[in-house]
Amino acid sequence: MIRISAFKWVPPFAQGVVRDLRVRWALEEAGLPYEAQLIDPEVQASSDYRELQPFGQVPVFEEEGLALFESGAIVFHIASRNEVLLPRDEADRARAITWMFAALNSIEIHVQQLAEIDLFAPDKEWAKLHRPDVEKAVRRRLKELAMRLGDREYLEGRFTAGDLMMTTVLRILRHTDLLDSEPTLKAYKERCEARPAFQRALAAQMKPFETRGA
């Protein structure tokens, strides 16, 4: 049985965007059963967990003696086993993988910087001074992505792991209205989120948070 690590609880602003969501979604799309190991800060800091994840983050993926960390690498590993997420055709597959890297390296690097300013340091003077430049960079990247998407339903004709990764990155902007300025991109994100596999993955991540809050 595949096992992934996830947090028992995170603050509301992080609920629904913790990176184990990416792995849960990929597993749901691929039809692979899994179980979640819910961890707390004590486990996160333990030497046993750090042996699996040197940075103490989630998720960790474990299956039959194989342990992986980094959500992008895990999603790629899962996608490589299933044509649902990575096409069989070599060229189509390569393009889908390219979009996985683009989501992490060209988009998330700016989006995450904005989120960290807004959610962790909104009142800091350095953040107030730096935020306009960061938002400008995010807007530029969103516009470029929207132009490339055009009127396509997905980035490469059909849903792939590239769309999965890109959608989870765009969701980080949910505390802002930046996607409203790119309606085709907003519709793309919502279209991906409407997939049943995503809905199951999101519900699974949210369940322990909701149980704790009840």
Side-chain angles (χ1 to χ4, degrees):
M1 171 70 75
I2 294 170
R3 183 171 70 171
I4 65 169
S5 65
F7 290 130
K8 288 182 178 179
W9 186 83
V10 293
F13 69 78
Q15 295 176 10
V17 293
V18 185
R19 284 168 176 76
D20 62 281
L21 179 65
R22 296 170 175 172
V23 175
R24 292 177 187 268
W25 188 3
L27 289 167
E28 292 287 353
E29 292 283 358
L32 296 174
Y34 71 95
E35 61 183 16
Q37 175 195 13
L38 300 180
I39 69 169
D40 56 23
E42 183 177 352
V43 173
Q44 188 180 5
S46 69
S47 58
D48 286 346
Y49 190 75
R50 293 293 176 130
E51 184 67 25
L52 299 172
Q53 219 301 357
F55 309 108
Q57 301 168 319
V58 300
V60 166
F61 172 100
E62 296 178 88
E63 183 186 25
E64 298 180 354
L66 173 66
L68 299 174
F69 63 95
E70 290 296 330
S71 62
I74 298 169
V75 169
F76 176 73
H77 174 71
I78 295 166
S80 296
R81 300 162 59 176
N82 195 294
E83 195 176 352
V84 171
L85 291 169
L86 282 180
R88 189 180 302 276
D89 177 82
E90 186 176 354
D92 292 343
R93 183 185 182 91
R95 284 192 293 269
I97 294 170
T98 297
W99 281 114
M100 293 181 66
F101 279 87
L104 297 174
N105 294 337
S106 294
I107 307 294
E108 187 174 38
I109 193 170
H110 298 290
V111 167
Q112 187 63 31
Q113 190 176 9
L114 183 65
E116 289 175 358
I117 288 174
D118 290 347
L119 300 174
F120 294 102
D123 298 324
K124 300 292 186 180
E125 188 62 26
W126 68 265
K128 293 177 182 178
L129 292 173
H130 191 42
R131 191 186 189 283
D133 289 336
V134 176
E135 181 178 325
K136 183 178 179 180
V138 172
R139 287 186 181 277
R140 182 177 68 252
R141 283 292 191 244
L142 293 180
K143 184 173 293 295
E144 291 166 342
L145 180 61
M147 288 179 62
R148 176 59 177 81
L149 178 65
D151 59 0
R152 300 178 181 87
E153 277 196 316
Y154 300 111
L155 293 168
E156 286 296 333
R158 73 161 178 89
F159 183 84
T160 72
D163 298 294
L164 185 155
M165 295 300 293
M166 190 65 75
T167 299
T168 60
V169 169
L170 294 177
R171 282 174 54 78
I172 299 171
L173 291 170
R174 65 182 185 174
H175 71 286
T176 76
D177 61 358
L178 293 182
L179 281 181
D180 291 342
S181 63
E182 301 293 344
T184 59
L185 207 55
K186 183 177 181 180
Y188 160 75
K189 179 184 77 74
E190 292 173 350
R191 185 160 52 250
C192 292
E193 290 173 324
R195 294 178 67 84
F198 173 83
Q199 293 297 319
R200 292 193 298 270
L202 180 62
Q205 184 184 84
M206 293 296 295
K207 185 176 180 180
F209 308 147
E210 294 166 350
T211 300
R212 174 168 173 164

